[in-house]
PDB file of all heavy atoms in Angstrom:
ATOM      1  N   GLY T 109     -61.012 -21.718  75.908  1.00  0.00           N
ATOM      2  CA  GLY T 109     -61.835 -21.060  74.892  1.00  0.00           C
ATOM      3  C   GLY T 109     -63.017 -20.332  75.473  1.00  0.00           C
ATOM      4  O   GLY T 109     -63.610 -19.468  74.809  1.00  0.00           O
ATOM      5  N   ASP T 110     -63.369 -20.629  76.719  1.00  0.00           N
ATOM      6  CA  ASP T 110     -64.534 -20.005  77.355  1.00  0.00           C
ATOM      7  C   ASP T 110     -64.166 -18.816  78.236  1.00  0.00           C
ATOM      8  O   ASP T 110     -65.041 -18.169  78.788  1.00  0.00           O
ATOM      9  CB  ASP T 110     -65.273 -21.044  78.212  1.00  0.00           C
ATOM     10  CG  ASP T 110     -65.828 -22.175  77.367  1.00  0.00           C
ATOM     11  OD1 ASP T 110     -66.117 -21.923  76.177  1.00  0.00           O
ATOM     12  OD2 ASP T 110     -65.955 -23.299  77.885  1.00  0.00           O
ATOM     13  N   CYS T 111     -62.880 -18.516  78.392  1.00  0.00           N
ATOM     14  CA  CYS T 111     -62.497 -17.406  79.281  1.00  0.00           C
ATOM     15  C   CYS T 111     -62.682 -16.067  78.564  1.00  0.00           C
ATOM     16  O   CYS T 111     -62.747 -15.985  77.349  1.00  0.00           O
ATOM     17  CB  CYS T 111     -61.074 -17.578  79.775  1.00  0.00           C
ATOM     18  SG  CYS T 111     -59.820 -17.286  78.530  1.00  0.00           S
ATOM     19  N   ASP T 112     -62.773 -15.019  79.369  1.00  0.00           N
ATOM     20  CA  ASP T 112     -62.934 -13.666  78.813  1.00  0.00           C
ATOM     21  C   ASP T 112     -61.629 -13.211  78.170  1.00  0.00           C
ATOM     22  O   ASP T 112     -60.536 -13.538  78.632  1.00  0.00           O
ATOM     23  CB  ASP T 112     -63.323 -12.678  79.914  1.00  0.00           C
ATOM     24  CG  ASP T 112     -64.721 -12.925  80.450  1.00  0.00           C
ATOM     25  OD1 ASP T 112     -65.542 -13.480  79.695  1.00  0.00           O
ATOM     26  OD2 ASP T 112     -64.967 -12.574  81.622  1.00  0.00           O
ATOM     27  N   TYR T 113     -61.771 -12.419  77.121  1.00  0.00           N
ATOM     28  CA  TYR T 113     -60.584 -11.870  76.462  1.00  0.00           C
ATOM     29  C   TYR T 113     -59.857 -10.910  77.391  1.00  0.00           C
ATOM     30  O   TYR T 113     -58.645 -10.773  77.322  1.00  0.00           O
ATOM     31  CB  TYR T 113     -60.985 -11.156  75.165  1.00  0.00           C
ATOM     32  CG  TYR T 113     -59.818 -10.511  74.484  1.00  0.00           C
ATOM     33  CD1 TYR T 113     -58.873 -11.276  73.818  1.00  0.00           C
ATOM     34  CD2 TYR T 113     -59.628  -9.131  74.531  1.00  0.00           C
ATOM     35  CE1 TYR T 113     -57.783 -10.698  73.214  1.00  0.00           C
ATOM     36  CE2 TYR T 113     -58.534  -8.542  73.929  1.00  0.00           C
ATOM     37  CZ  TYR T 113     -57.619  -9.330  73.265  1.00  0.00           C
ATOM     38  OH  TYR T 113     -56.537  -8.750  72.665  1.00  0.00           O
ATOM     39  N   GLN T 114     -60.588 -10.265  78.280  1.00  0.00           N
ATOM     40  CA  GLN T 114     -59.973  -9.309  79.205  1.00  0.00           C
ATOM     41  C   GLN T 114     -58.961 -10.009  80.111  1.00  0.00           C
ATOM     42  O   GLN T 114     -57.906  -9.444  80.421  1.00  0.00           O
ATOM     43  CB  GLN T 114     -61.034  -8.603  80.030  1.00  0.00           C
ATOM     44  CG  GLN T 114     -60.460  -7.542  80.948  1.00  0.00           C
ATOM     45  CD  GLN T 114     -61.548  -6.778  81.673  1.00  0.00           C
ATOM     46  OE1 GLN T 114     -62.726  -7.063  81.519  1.00  0.00           O
ATOM     47  NE2 GLN T 114     -61.142  -5.812  82.469  1.00  0.00           N
ATOM     48  N   ALA T 115     -59.236 -11.226  80.547  1.00  0.00           N
ATOM     49  CA  ALA T 115     -58.292 -11.962  81.394  1.00  0.00           C
ATOM     50  C   ALA T 115     -57.003 -12.250  80.630  1.00  0.00           C
ATOM     51  O   ALA T 115     -55.901 -12.115  81.168  1.00  0.00           O
ATOM     52  CB  ALA T 115     -58.936 -13.260  81.885  1.00  0.00           C
ATOM     53  N   VAL T 116     -57.142 -12.619  79.350  1.00  0.00           N
ATOM     54  CA  VAL T 116     -55.957 -12.884  78.523  1.00  0.00           C
ATOM     55  C   VAL T 116     -55.196 -11.588  78.276  1.00  0.00           C
ATOM     56  O   VAL T 116     -53.959 -11.543  78.333  1.00  0.00           O
ATOM     57  CB  VAL T 116     -56.371 -13.553  77.195  1.00  0.00           C
ATOM     58  CG1 VAL T 116     -55.167 -13.759  76.304  1.00  0.00           C
ATOM     59  CG2 VAL T 116     -57.083 -14.867  77.447  1.00  0.00           C
ATOM     60  N   ALA T 117     -55.922 -10.494  78.019  1.00  0.00           N
ATOM     61  CA  ALA T 117     -55.274  -9.203  77.781  1.00  0.00           C
ATOM     62  C   ALA T 117     -54.523  -8.717  79.018  1.00  0.00           C
ATOM     63  O   ALA T 117     -53.425  -8.145  78.914  1.00  0.00           O
ATOM     64  CB  ALA T 117     -56.307  -8.166  77.344  1.00  0.00           C
TER      65      ALA T 117
END
Side-chain angles (χ1 to χ4, degrees):
D110 297 332
C111 72
D112 291 334
Y113 177 74
Q114 183 175 2
V116 177

